[in-house]
Amino acid sequence: MQTNRKNLSDTKVELTISADSELLNSAKSQAVQRLRSDVKVAGFRSGKVPAAVAEKHINPNALQSAVLDIAINEMYSQAVASESLRPITQPEITLKKFVPYTDIEIVAVIEVLGKITVPDYKKLKLAKKPVSITAKDVDDVLEALRVRASEKIKVERAAKDGDELLIDFAGTDAKSGDKIQGADGKEYPLLLGSNTFIPGFEQNLIGLKPGESKTFYLTFPKDYGVSALQNRKVTFKVTVLNVKELQKPKLDDAFAAKAGPFKKLDDLKADIKKQVTAERENESERTFENELIEKIVAGSKITVPESLVDEEIERLEIDEKRNLTYRGQTWEEHLKQEGVTEAEHKEQKRPQAILRIKGALALSEIANLEDIKVTPEELEIRLQLLKGQYQDPQMQAELDKPENQQDILNRMVTEKTINKLKNYATS
């Protein structure tokens, strides 16, 4: 068998592969074995017809088709292995020449992973940001617990900071007057001073009494999460349905006992500090990992195949659509709110998709260099832990599927690789 390689781009390869009678005869023998179970010949039981006899009774067209299928698969597999290619899509194969059982030539166009070059990651150093918890951090959590445990009493006076309001509100574009999707709500509970809404919104409600309405203008922050609303001037009309004064419980040992299994307020404070510390440490760990991966990607040379980018964009959009469904918003409403077409929305996701793929490919390359593997025993332990977390029979059945187990295994390899990099970075 002979293979001629032509690089069409950094991620696309054309292979011209030819083979002679040796490979074709082998493929023919395999084809006969595959087809002879359907051959019926007098004097032989079904499936027991000798190959030489069966071949004479097999439809020539069916035999040739099977031979081509087997031969092409074998030629392609051998060529990919000999050229050390890493295909990421199914090949486009064209049969260029076929002399039955004598000569065959095919052309395969394949999208592949190009060469991946990572920096000297063993010399990368990165300091983890220290975690510190102040008394104010603990006090903020205590205050939130007090607010949650407050007795809420309706009052007829003007609203002041610290009150909870029940409001109807609607936002429209200050220029066009068009309704803004997602900038409205009915019977929405809002705690004044919580800074839940954009700057200026809550302050405008101070002084309003139950039944009163107010119209005011605000400009969305330039870094607002929805790009279509950034720096956008909006007219809000708000109606206060009721005002509730919060009577917060006294911060003492009795409050601590109601908040959990604590005998003293100091016990509750200690538990809060412990939980906040754990949350901050987890957040610091994630930030450290992301910064480390970003440094490795920045120092890597990776050409990302377009098909992988398109697949990643699809995954990102599926996740976004799922989140929108939870919020009760349709995809069409979201696109209108963002002020983009579906094609433009996909393009906005492209930089994020490329960055994620580069990170995954760089980590995969490092895993290969470090020969990082997951043993069957390690995978089984992880599966059992997951099955313990998800008691739903359908979810447990999903964990038994080979493709899902492979995905879990890949994630475990990634985890091991990141831990290895963290050790290098901090040693």
Side-chain angles (χ1 to χ4, degrees), residues 369-381:
L369 294 171
E370 293 284 334
D371 195 27
I372 293 173
K373 292 181 173 60
V374 172
T375 67
E377 292 77 16
E378 289 173 325
L379 177 60
E380 183 59 30
I381 290 170

Side-chain angles (χ1 to χ4, degrees), residues 84-152:
S84 301
L85 298 176
R86 293 183 286 181
I88 59 171
T89 58
Q90 289 297 316
E92 297 175 10
I93 294 180
T94 305
L95 179 63
K96 302 298 287 187
K97 176 184 177 183
F98 179 57
V99 178
Y101 317 122
T102 302
D103 291 304
I104 182 171
E105 182 178 282
I106 64 172
V107 174
V109 177
I110 322 157
E111 192 165 22
V112 299
L113 286 179
K115 184 179 179 181
I116 299 173
T117 304
V118 294
D120 190 351
Y121 53 85
K122 294 182 181 181
K123 293 183 179 178
L124 276 178
K125 300 300 175 185
L126 186 65
K128 192 183 300 183
K129 292 182 176 65
V131 172
S132 61
I133 307 301
T134 65
K136 183 179 182 304
D137 293 325
V138 176
D139 290 341
D140 287 345
V141 176
L142 284 171
E143 186 62 18
L145 291 174
R146 289 181 70 203
V147 168
R148 198 179 306 161
S150 295
E151 183 181 356
K152 300 173 183 179

Side-chain angles (χ1 to χ4, degrees), residues 237-424:
K237 181 178 181 182
V238 182
T239 299
V240 176
L241 304 178
N242 64 50
V243 178
K244 292 180 181 178
E245 182 176 293
L246 273 58
Q247 293 190 351
K248 301 174 186 176
K250 187 178 178 182
L251 205 57
D252 54 16
D253 292 345
F255 172 77
K258 289 181 180 179
F262 310 106
K263 293 182 179 179
K264 296 183 178 181
L265 180 61
D266 286 343
D267 296 336
L268 173 58
K269 288 182 178 180
D271 186 73
I272 290 172
K273 185 174 182 178
K274 180 181 177 181
Q275 291 191 41
V276 173
T277 300
E279 290 173 5
R280 294 276 178 86
E281 286 178 343
N282 286 336
E283 183 181 344
S284 176
E285 195 71 20
R286 288 193 298 271
T287 301
F288 176 69
E289 291 175 2
N290 290 336
E291 289 179 354
L292 186 56
I293 293 171
E294 285 173 8
K295 278 182 173 290
I296 289 171
V297 169
S300 299
K301 293 181 181 179
I302 304 171
T303 303
V304 181
E306 281 301 309
S307 61
L308 286 186
V309 177
D310 292 338
E311 287 175 10
E312 186 62 29
I313 289 173
E314 285 300 319
R315 278 192 286 269
L316 290 170
E317 293 210 325
I318 287 171
D319 289 342
E320 189 171 1
K321 288 175 182 178
R322 188 182 298 117
N323 291 333
L324 288 171
T325 300
Y326 292 149
R327 301 207 307 260
Q329 190 177 25
T330 67
W331 186 241
E332 290 71 22
E333 289 171 341
H334 175 66
L335 292 177
K336 184 177 180 182
Q337 182 182 35
E338 290 281 341
V340 295
T341 64
E342 189 156 6
E344 290 170 339
H345 191 276
K346 286 182 182 293
E347 280 306 304
Q348 289 178 353
K349 288 280 186 288
R350 190 168 295 277
Q352 181 185 358
I354 291 173
L355 188 61
R356 286 178 65 163
I357 293 169
K358 282 186 174 182
L361 292 178
L363 290 175
S364 177
E365 183 68 14
I366 292 170
N368 289 332
L369 294 171
E370 293 284 334
D371 195 27
I372 293 173
K373 292 181 173 60
V374 172
T375 67
E377 292 77 16
E378 289 173 325
L379 177 60
E380 183 59 30
I381 290 170
R382 178 65 65 89
L383 289 171
Q384 292 305 319
L385 288 172
L386 289 171
K387 287 182 177 180
Q389 293 175 20
Y390 303 105
Q391 299 295 328
D392 178 52
Q394 184 177 352
M395 190 61 175
Q396 295 214 353
E398 287 294 316
L399 291 171
D400 287 329
K401 291 182 178 179
E403 61 270 25
N404 291 333
Q405 291 189 5
Q406 183 62 46
D407 182 57
I408 293 167
L409 187 144
N410 291 340
R411 276 186 276 157
M412 291 177 70
V413 170
T414 299
E415 290 168 9
K416 281 190 169 188
T417 306
I418 291 173
N419 287 334
K420 176 76 76 171
L421 290 169
K422 284 157 63 175
N423 289 334
Y424 286 138

